Amino acid sequence: MKRLICTVHSGLLMLVCVPATQAAGAYDKNNLHYDDAFAFLELLNQKRASMGLGALTMDQDLLEGALIRAYEQTTYFGHTRPDGSKYSTAAPGKAHAECVHWWSPAEQSTPRNTLKEFLNSPPHKAILLDGQYRAAGVGAYEYGGRKYWAVLLSMNRASTLAAVSQPKRSATVGGFQDVYETDYFAQPVLWAVKNKITNGTTASTFSPNQACTRGQIVTFLWRAVGSPKPNTTNNPFRDVKSGSFYYNAVLWAHENGITSGTSARAFSPDQSCTRAEVATFLWRALGCRIDMEKVHSFQDIPKGAYYETAVLWLKDFGIISGTSATRFSPTKTCTRAEFVTMLYRLDAKHLPWFASKGDAV
C-alpha cells in the first residue's frame, strides 16, 4: 500500500492533509534512513542530468527539516505539520516545495522504488524535474511497518552542505555494516549465517536489498534443509555447469519437483527470481499443501495462476505477506533480506517437517 501527495508555495497544486492510520511513537533516530536519503537524491540527479537539468545539492537545513517531516507523516500525512503550521516552517526561508510519500511494507520502499512512484505521478514529476530548484533535503523514516518519505526543495542554492555520513543508529549485527539490530531481517540474517545458508556479499556487507537470482534461491533452500545429495547425476539444463555453487541444489530441486526450469533445457540460474517463483519453490518444497483458506484480497493474482495456491498457502501460514493489503506483486524481484526472512519463518514452522520427508517429497 502506498500514498503520495505534493504541494508548492504557489498553491497551484492542491494541499491535502489526512490523518495517519496509526498513532506515532516518539521520534527515534534509529528509525531514520539517512543513507536512503542520499541514495534517493543521487538517483534523482541522474534523472535530472539525463534531461539536461542541474543537480540538486543536499542542504543541511533542508535535510534536517525533511527528516523531521518524514517522521511527522506518521502522525498526520500531508503538508500541514502536526502543530498546524505549514511544511515550510521545517526549514524556514528555504523550503519552497514538498513531496511526501509512504509505502507499506517498509522493506519494499527502496530509494529506487520511491523515486519511480514519484515520477509516475505527474504533479510530483513536475516538481522534482523542475529546473528552478537548486537544493533539496530528503528524509526517510520507518515506523509501524511503513517507510515515510519527505522531499523539500528550494530555489536557493545550498548554503550549508550536508555531510554524507550517517548519524548514529542502532548497533549493527553479524559484522555487517548494512544490517541493524532494529531491521526486520536482522534475526533471519544471523540465523542464515549461523546455519551456513548464506554469507555476506563481502566480509562487512550483507546487501539486504540486492536481488536474489534463481540459482541463489534454490541454493539457499537446499542448504536450509541440510544440503541433501541428489539421487541422480542427470542434468537436463545446459546452463547449469558442474562445479557451480548451485549445481547440486538445482539437481536436487529438479528431481524433487521443486523446479522444472525456465524451459526443458534451461534453468536460467543468473536470472532474478520473482516473488511468484519464490512462493512456488517454497510451496513445492513443502509438498504442494492445500490446507489453507481459499479467499484472499490480492487483486494482482489472476485466478488459476500457476503460483496462486502457493501464495495463498504461504500467506495463510505466515510465511509470506503482500506488498500491500491488496497486492502481492508477483513479478517483483525477491531480495536477499526477503528470502532469508521467509526461510527463517519456515525453519520455525515447517522445515523440520520437510527434512523428515527426505527425498520422498
Side-chain angles (χ1 to χ4, degrees), residues 19-343:
T21 57
Q22 54 186 349
Y27 183 70
D28 185 350
K29 288 186 177 180
N30 285 331
N31 294 338
L32 293 175
H33 286 260
Y34 194 81
D35 45 355
D36 280 357
F38 281 89
F40 176 94
L41 188 61
E42 181 179 358
L43 292 169
L44 174 56
N45 279 333
Q46 290 174 7
K47 179 64 176 179
R48 287 173 64 92
S50 72
M51 301 179 66
L53 300 173
L56 297 169
T57 305
M58 188 78 86
D59 179 274
Q60 183 65 39
D61 294 334
L62 289 171
L63 170 62
E64 292 176 0
L67 291 170
I68 292 294
R69 288 293 296 133
Y71 161 71
E72 290 178 346
Q73 300 307 309
T74 67
T75 302
Y76 205 67
F77 184 71
H79 301 296
T80 298
R81 304 187 69 185
D83 64 2
S85 61
K86 293 183 178 180
Y87 73 89
S88 55
T89 61
K94 289 191 174 184
H96 299 132
E98 178 183 69
C99 297
V100 295
H101 176 274
W102 66 257
W103 190 318
S104 176
E107 57 264 26
Q108 306 295 338
S109 188
T110 63
R112 188 176 299 277
N113 285 344
T114 302
L115 179 61
K116 182 179 178 181
E117 289 296 315
F118 275 135
L119 297 182
N120 283 339
S121 166
H124 293 85
K125 183 177 181 180
I127 290 177
L128 295 175
L129 301 181
D130 190 329
Q132 71 176 323
Y133 296 118
R134 298 182 175 185
V138 183
Y141 189 89
E142 185 172 340
Y143 178 75
R146 297 176 178 173
K147 189 180 290 184
Y148 296 83
W149 293 80
V151 183
L152 296 176
L153 297 109
S154 177
M155 291 181 283
N156 304 326
R157 292 185 183 278
S159 57
T160 52
L161 298 181
V164 187
S165 60
Q166 189 166 331
K168 185 177 180 180
R169 288 189 61 184
S170 60
T172 55
V173 299
F176 298 124
Q177 298 176 0
D178 53 1
V179 181
Y180 295 86
E181 61 182 8
T182 53
D183 288 329
Y184 79 92
F185 50 81
Q187 287 304 311
V189 167
L190 292 176
W191 168 84
V193 172
K194 178 181 178 181
N195 288 280
K196 299 182 179 180
I197 293 169
T198 181
N199 294 315
T201 50
T202 70
S204 60
T205 59
F206 184 77
S207 302
N209 295 320
Q210 187 178 100
C212 269
T213 65
R214 289 170 52 85
Q216 290 172 330
I217 292 289
V218 169
T219 302
F220 292 175
L221 175 58
W222 174 68
R223 290 172 180 167
V225 298
S227 304
K229 184 177 180 180
N231 289 325
T232 179
T233 57
N234 179 39
N235 177 15
F237 304 124
R238 294 173 178 171
D239 55 358
V240 176
K241 305 299 182 183
S242 177
S244 60
F245 74 86
Y246 47 76
Y247 181 76
N248 284 331
V250 172
L251 264 59
W252 164 82
H254 181 260
E255 73 181 18
N256 282 285
I258 296 169
T259 180
S260 56
T262 52
S263 73
R265 302 294 288 164
F267 178 72
S268 305
D270 298 323
Q271 179 178 300
S272 293
C273 202
T274 67
R275 286 168 55 84
E277 290 174 321
V278 166
T280 304
F281 289 167
L282 293 176
W283 178 67
R284 289 173 179 167
L286 289 159
C288 300
R289 301 172 67 174
I290 58 173
D291 50 328
M292 77 293 182
E293 294 289 335
K294 301 297 193 296
V295 179
H296 67 89
S297 59
F298 297 136
Q299 298 175 3
D300 57 353
I301 297 182
K303 187 68 176 178
Y306 77 88
Y307 53 83
E308 181 186 23
T309 302
V311 171
L312 296 189
W313 190 88
L314 290 166
K315 179 180 183 296
D316 202 34
F317 283 85
I319 308 303
I320 201 169
S321 59
T323 54
S324 78
T326 59
R327 298 186 64 80
F328 176 71
S329 302
T331 60
K332 181 187 175 297
T333 299
C334 183
T335 67
R336 286 169 54 84
E338 289 175 325
F339 192 58
V340 296
T341 301
M342 294 176 201
L343 288 178

